[in-house]
């Protein structure tokens, strides 16, 4: 690793990560490692952007996913290209991939092959449905996992049809959890001296993310359905109209319900039969929601937020995305971080949401162009300019 590639002052400084990922789930994992100081080398095949669902390299999605990396293009289907990969693997700490389960074996870059040249390697994989089993061979994407994992059956308004969640939650969760798994394996390596293979899948994380809805079935035999904006079990928790835009609020515990009734100047609700117990409120949720709506629609959202917040009632406006980034708290949290792209100009990208005391975090580098660092990394590996020119001429690298 060159001195320029070394990131100092960040917790993952000194780690080298080889990024073989495509689409979103794998890059989400790698983004965590890159953001927190690892030297990440993204390895893509020549002309890799074709077929990548995150779009062309100048697009908003690609730019947000691949910051803080170096970029190479290597044809791993060639022996010479594979030899370069293994040169890098011998110096690396982590490899991340999210190909179909069988592809890494077909290419010969699977965990066993990499571990043979570097026993300390931590190898992370994401697949659609798991590395084996009856669906292990299948390709998987986020919405398929949302459907098969049960999420779409509990999302949306009752009777209005099935609805996917508005973000690729299976992709993002798989990436986030694989990053956690990689860090656990790296910690384990400090004791054992050896790396290991860690993997998850879109289906596994989607079932895991059902959380209490899954335990309702496993422990109580209840099959959850759609509940719209209502919380499935805690009433009132939901979205209510105001004179300008809707607000979300939650006042389901006994103490919060009493404070909520007083804040709305409806003390009689506290003693109304059926409304004075949690089970009763759950059974009569439609009437309670209608009564709350009749009150909240008479004043604008800010009026209610200023009344409910001092009473300790969680509440907030329903923002569009532009309103979210215009929110003073979101701006205080600096969730939109500036970065200068040498070709595309000034950009703002989404900040990593993790905060660490006494660590200054920033987006160090904009997303590189495909193959931008191929020559530099090859030179670090000891390849001469003539060697590099021959590799380029043969389209082994680009």
């Amino acid at each position: 690793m060159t001195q320029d590639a070394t990131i100092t002052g960040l917790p993952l400084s000194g780690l080298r990560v080889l990024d073989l990922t495509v689409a979103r789930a794998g890059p989400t994992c790698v983004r965590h490692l890159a953001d927190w100081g690892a030297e990440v080398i993204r390895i893509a095949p020549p002309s890799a952007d074709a077929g990548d669902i995150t779009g062309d390299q100048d697009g908003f999605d690609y730019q947000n996913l691949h910051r803080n990396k170096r970029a190479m293009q290597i044809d791993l289907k060639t022996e010479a290209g594979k030899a370069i990969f293994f040169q890098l693997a011998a110096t690396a700490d982590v490899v991340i991939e999210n190909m179909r389960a069988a592809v890494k074996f077909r290419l010969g870059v699977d965990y066993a092959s990499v571990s043979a040249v570097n026993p300390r390697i931590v190898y992370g994989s994401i697949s659609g449905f798991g590395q084996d089993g009856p669906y292990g061979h299948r390709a998987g994407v986020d919405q398929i996992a949302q459907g098969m994992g049960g999420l779409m059956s509990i999302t949306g308004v009752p009777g209005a049809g099935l609805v996917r969640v508005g973000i690729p939650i299976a992709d993002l969760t798989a990436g986030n959890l694989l990053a956690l798994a990689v860090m656990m394996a790296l910690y384990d390596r400090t004791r054992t001296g050896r790396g290991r293979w860690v993997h998850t899948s879109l289906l596994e994380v989607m079932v895991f993310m059902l959380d209490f809805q899954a335990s309702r079935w496993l422990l109580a035999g209840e099959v959850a359905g759609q509940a719209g904006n209502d919380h499935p079990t805690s009433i009132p928790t939901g979205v209510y109209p105001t004179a300008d835009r809707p607000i979300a609020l939650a006042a389901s515990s006994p103490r919060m319900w009493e404070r909520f009734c007083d804040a709305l100047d409806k003390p009689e609700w506290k003693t109304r039969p059926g409304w004075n117990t949690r089970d009763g409120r759950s059974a009569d949720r439609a009437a309670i929601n209608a009564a709350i709506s009749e009150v909240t629609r008479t004043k604008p959202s800010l009026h209610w937020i200023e009344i409910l917040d001092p009473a300790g009632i969680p509440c907030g406006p329903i923002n569009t995305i532009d309103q979210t980034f215009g929110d003073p708290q979101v701006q205080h949290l600096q969730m939109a971080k500036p970065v200068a792209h040498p070709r595309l100009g000034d950009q703002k990208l989404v900040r990593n949401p993790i905060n660490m005391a006494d660590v200054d975090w920033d987006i160090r580098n904009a997303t590189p162009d495909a193959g931008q660092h191929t020559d530099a990394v090859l030179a670090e590996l000891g390849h001469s300019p003539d060697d590099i020119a021959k590799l380029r001429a043969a389209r082994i690298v680009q």
Side-chain angles (χ1 to χ4, degrees), residues 15-19 29-30 33 38-39 41 85 88-89 91-96 114 118 120-124 182-183 186 189 198:
L15 286 179
R16 171 172 275 189
V17 178
L18 304 185
D19 174 9
C29 168
V30 177
L33 309 180
E39 182 211 7
I41 301 175
F85 169 78
L88 285 167
T91 72
D93 298 282
V94 179
V95 174
I96 305 292
V114 177
N118 182 356
R120 289 175 55 80
I121 203 74
V122 171
Y123 192 106
V182 165
M183 298 314 301
L186 286 169
R189 190 180 72 175
V198 292

Side-chain angles (χ1 to χ4, degrees), residues 15 17 27 35 45 51 69 75 103 108 137 164 166 178 181 206 260 302 315 327 335 350 396:
L15 286 179
V17 178
D35 280 352
K69 299 181 182 181
D75 187 353
V103 172
H137 65 284
R164 66 178 286 276
L178 188 68
M206 199 70 273
F260 177 70
L302 185 59
C315 58
D327 185 277
M335 290 306 298
V350 182
I396 294 166

Side-chain angles (χ1 to χ4, degrees), residues 111 115-116 118-122 185-186 188-196:
Y111 169 68
S115 180
N118 182 356
R120 289 175 55 80
I121 203 74
V122 171
L186 286 169
D188 189 51
R189 190 180 72 175
T190 65
R191 297 184 294 118
T192 67
R194 292 189 62 87
R196 64 175 67 243

Side-chain angles (χ1 to χ4, degrees), residues 74-297:
I74 306 174
D75 187 353
L76 296 180
K77 296 179 181 178
T78 67
E79 289 305 313
K82 198 178 303 180
I84 294 169
F85 169 78
F86 279 107
Q87 271 190 287
L88 285 167
T91 72
D93 298 282
V94 179
V95 174
I96 305 292
E97 63 84 23
N98 63 324
M99 312 168 193
R100 286 197 196 192
V103 172
K104 57 185 166 292
F105 297 101
R106 193 159 62 240
L107 290 174
V109 296
D110 54 281
Y111 169 68
S113 300
V114 177
S115 180
V117 301
N118 182 356
R120 289 175 55 80
I121 203 74
V122 171
Y123 192 106
S125 299
I126 296 174
S127 61
F129 303 99
Q131 294 295 318
D132 49 28
Y135 305 156
H137 65 284
R138 292 187 185 179
V141 296
D142 179 87
Q143 187 157 345
I144 308 305
Q146 287 196 34
M148 293 180 65
L151 182 61
M152 289 177 65
S153 74
I154 56 174
T155 303
V157 177
L162 302 173
V163 180
R164 66 178 286 276
V165 173
I167 59 172
I169 189 169
D171 282 343
L172 297 173
T173 304
N176 293 338
L177 290 179
L178 188 68
L180 174 62
V182 165
M183 298 314 301
M184 288 191 290
L186 286 169
Y187 177 76
D188 189 51
R189 190 180 72 175
T190 65
R191 297 184 294 118
T192 67
R194 292 189 62 87
R196 64 175 67 243
W197 185 22
V198 292
H199 55 86
T200 190
S201 68
L202 305 187
L203 182 59
E204 286 171 283
V205 303
M206 199 70 273
V207 174
F208 171 78
M209 287 293 285
L210 291 178
D211 198 64
F212 80 96
Q213 297 284 39
S215 66
R216 285 179 71 184
W217 162 247
L218 293 174
L219 301 180
E222 298 177 5
V223 178
Q226 294 168 306
N229 289 320
D230 290 337
H231 190 279
T233 57
S234 299
I235 308 301
T237 300
V239 175
Y240 299 90
T242 74
D244 52 4
R245 57 174 169 162
I247 59 170
L249 60 87
S252 59
S253 74
R255 291 187 63 187
M256 280 199 295
W257 170 248
E258 291 186 358
R259 293 200 301 266
F260 177 70
C261 294
D262 290 336
L264 265 62
D265 197 23
K266 292 291 182 179
E268 66 272 18
W269 289 357
K270 293 187 292 184
T271 55
R272 179 169 171 171
W275 291 19
N276 55 352
T277 66
R278 179 174 293 184
D279 289 344
R281 290 192 295 275
S282 183
D284 206 16
R285 71 172 65 197
I288 290 175
N289 285 338
I292 294 172
S293 297
E294 285 301 310
V295 176
T296 57
R297 64 167 41 102

